[in-house]
Amino acid sequence: MVEDKTVLITGAAKRIGAEVAKFLISKGMNVIVHYNNSNQQALELKDKYGVSIEHCDFKNIGSIRDFFKTCEQKFGSIDVVIHNASYFQNGNLKNTKLNQWENHIDINLTAPFVLNQLLLESVQEKEKLVIGLVDRRALKPGREHLAYTVSESGLVSMLDVISNSDIGIRTGLIVLGPILPPSSGTIQDFEKQILKSPDGRAGTFDEINSAIMSIITSKRDKQRFNVACKIS
């Protein structure tokens, strides 16, 4: 039964994460929306859809444990963590600044690592599930977005290792092609990515939500779904 599951979605006050939150709460799950800077959007989700919200700045790694423990104290044991939060900036080896590199690694890789460790602490109660939403660049790097690609690839590898470790945590992966224009980037680049997608169109929220529901309701481990991309 999905109705008794408590799901934490990181970076979910807007865009894809918000759509996932609205979908899962419509299915009867208890949904915790993590947010950082999007306070107003988080409050609107809470008021309109009944999700729970909790703030944390993932660049402050030391605050993540307190964030997770607060979520558990307020909302009960967490069953599913969906890693959706991401930091995205363009840059190659030549022009990526150290602070940009650190922001990508902290938010996209270290924060999921810490959350996964914390989830493991309560795995004796019942099996847990971790789902990663990652950009297709994680599996097929291009010429740019160095720090972003490396951090996303690291999350994919982390989920693989967790699945291989038989520690009571299932994993799922959803690889995303073009869904929404990036908050940093050009519409022209987004349109080029759409032309490269399998059907020449952007992916939809329905496709993402269907994939997430399939992973949650299944007993299988290491499931992967592609949305608007064709990566083997």
Side-chain angles (χ1 to χ4, degrees):
M1 296 289 292
V2 298
E3 290 82 3
D4 63 347
K5 293 190 181 298
T6 297
V7 183
L8 168 63
I9 313 172
T10 66
K14 58 184 181 179
R15 295 172 64 85
I16 292 173
E19 296 301 322
V20 173
K22 289 185 282 188
F23 172 76
L24 294 183
I25 204 162
S26 75
K27 298 300 181 183
M29 298 184 213
N30 304 311
V31 178
I32 307 167
V33 166
H34 154 264
Y35 70 97
N36 182 22
N37 296 319
S38 304
N39 180 69
Q40 186 58 43
Q41 293 94 328
L43 288 171
E44 290 173 1
L45 274 179
K46 178 182 178 181
D47 293 342
K48 189 171 182 179
Y49 296 96
V51 304
S52 302
I53 61 174
E54 197 66 32
H55 172 267
C56 185
D57 181 355
F58 283 173
K59 293 194 295 295
N60 182 1
I61 299 300
S63 68
I64 297 176
R65 172 173 285 272
D66 288 342
F67 159 76
F68 189 87
K69 294 302 181 183
T70 297
C71 288
E72 288 195 316
Q73 290 167 5
K74 286 185 176 180
F75 314 117
S77 179
I78 294 170
D79 303 295
V80 183
V81 175
I82 299 178
H83 295 302
N84 170 74
S86 68
Y87 182 85
F88 177 87
Q89 291 291 322
N90 197 4
N92 53 35
L93 183 60
K94 182 178 181 179
N95 60 24
T96 298
K97 307 298 183 184
L98 180 59
N99 70 306
Q100 293 174 321
W101 172 269
E102 291 172 338
N103 285 340
H104 281 91
I105 297 300
D106 286 349
I107 295 171
N108 301 354
L109 186 57
T110 305
F113 165 72
V114 175
L115 290 171
N116 292 342
Q117 279 195 325
L118 292 167
L119 190 68
L120 180 62
E121 292 180 4
S122 60
V123 83
Q124 66 272 14
E125 299 170 11
K126 55 182 175 179
E127 183 183 71
K128 306 295 183 177
L129 171 63
V130 172
I131 301 174
L133 271 62
V134 301
D135 191 288
R136 70 196 182 287
R137 296 177 183 88
L139 300 176
K140 191 175 181 181
R143 297 179 180 180
E144 298 288 331
H145 312 99
L146 173 67
Y148 178 70
T149 299
V150 171
S151 60
E152 291 275 283
S153 299
L155 178 56
V156 174
S157 295
M158 189 193 312
L159 296 184
D160 278 342
V161 173
I162 290 171
S163 285
N164 294 340
S165 301
D166 192 24
I167 54 176
I169 298 179
R170 285 195 303 120
T171 71
L173 184 69
I174 301 174
V175 184
L176 303 177
I179 309 296
L180 294 172
S183 53
S184 59
T186 66
I187 191 65
Q188 289 80 9
D189 180 62
F190 179 67
E191 290 171 347
K192 288 179 182 177
Q193 299 306 319
I194 289 176
L195 292 176
K196 296 177 183 178
S197 66
D199 300 321
R201 61 171 180 82
T204 67
F205 298 137
D206 285 345
E207 291 172 308
I208 297 170
N209 288 332
S210 176
I212 288 173
M213 183 59 78
S214 294
I215 294 171
I216 291 175
T217 56
S218 173
K219 294 296 184 181
R220 293 173 53 200
D221 190 16
K222 212 170 183 177
Q223 289 194 84
R224 192 182 104 184
F225 294 86
N226 294 340
V227 177
C229 63
K230 48 180 179 181
I231 298 178
S232 59

